[in-house]
Amino acid sequence: MVMMSLLRTLTLLAGTSYAFQTSRSVIKMSTITGPKNIVIIGGGIQGTSVAFQIAESPSLPAGSTITILEANKIASAASGKGGGFMARQWGDGSSTQTLHELAFDMYEELCPKLGVESYRKLPVLSVSPGGNKTGKQDNKSKNKQLSDIFPSWLDGSIGRVSPLGFGDDTAQVTPKEFVEKMLAY
């Protein structure tokens, strides 16, 4: 993936639309030459990611404008409220598996570049509720094979515990911060 430093301004249009203005040499994006006016519907993580990738493309002609249309405000729905957990191997093996893995790898590359502070690699556990035991439990010693990643605060009554990732292939990012950093870049 080629990353380029762009001269770009973010402009607020009509209260809820955002536009990227780019400046670079003209390379054909299609058979029609000249600047493009691109409209993307949705200001969540997907819409802003598409806008960011198009803006970073060396094929985008100089003077092109990318406009994001959002009904409310940027990252106002799931992208502003989600937990941002991701894993390289959580895909279902379908035809989109390669895209899933590419997206996971891109977060690791883009977060430092964009200055995203919330991105972190971390282990992820699936924990089922336990029985009716009360008081603190020593769950770490009960799960010796997971003791390195078992959080000390998980001290209540729990059932089955299984790892979903050990931190090399699982991560977390605050989606709203990621969206805002893409727009500000």
Side-chain angles (χ1 to χ4, degrees):
M1 182 171 141
V2 175
M3 297 301 228
M4 297 180 66
S5 181
L6 301 175
L7 176 60
R8 177 171 48 238
T9 58
L10 178 64
T11 308
L12 186 58
L13 301 174
T16 58
S17 297
Y18 297 83
F20 287 109
Q21 183 69 40
T22 65
S23 168
R24 69 174 80 208
S25 60
V26 176
I27 301 173
K28 286 186 180 181
M29 267 183 103
S30 67
T31 57
I32 301 170
T33 59
K36 308 291 183 223
N37 294 312
I38 301 166
V39 177
I40 296 170
I41 300 172
I45 199 161
Q46 292 181 347
T48 54
S49 293
V50 168
F52 181 84
Q53 293 299 325
I54 291 172
E56 290 287 297
S57 172
S59 298
L60 185 65
S64 293
T65 301
I66 301 167
T67 303
I68 298 172
L69 301 177
E70 172 56 54
N72 293 304
K73 60 182 181 177
I74 292 297
S76 63
S79 295
K81 297 168 182 61
F85 285 101
M86 62 190 108
R88 196 170 201 285
Q89 301 304 322
W90 287 359
D92 62 6
S94 67
S95 59
T96 61
Q97 182 68 38
T98 302
L99 182 60
H100 182 86
E101 293 169 2
L102 175 67
F104 179 83
D105 295 341
M106 285 176 63
Y107 276 100
E108 187 170 17
E109 177 185 333
L110 283 176
C111 285
K113 175 181 177 173
L114 298 174
V116 174
E117 295 178 12
S118 64
Y119 177 82
R120 61 188 178 140
K121 286 198 162 186
L122 73 166
V124 178
L125 296 174
S126 171
V127 181
S128 299
N132 294 328
K133 296 178 185 175
T134 58
K136 291 191 175 197
Q137 308 290 314
D138 186 7
N139 294 314
K140 195 167 189 167
S141 66
K142 290 179 189 175
N143 294 282
K144 292 190 186 302
Q145 71 277 15
L146 301 176
S147 64
D148 289 345
I149 64 170
F150 210 90
S152 60
W153 55 262
L154 191 55
D155 59 4
S157 180
I158 62 172
R160 181 186 59 81
V161 177
S162 58
L164 298 177
F166 290 93
D168 55 337
D169 63 346
T170 49
Q172 182 181 28
V173 69
T174 303
K176 185 175 182 177
E177 179 194 14
F178 189 75
V179 166
E180 290 170 347
K181 296 286 186 169
M182 280 191 293
L183 288 173
Y185 183 76

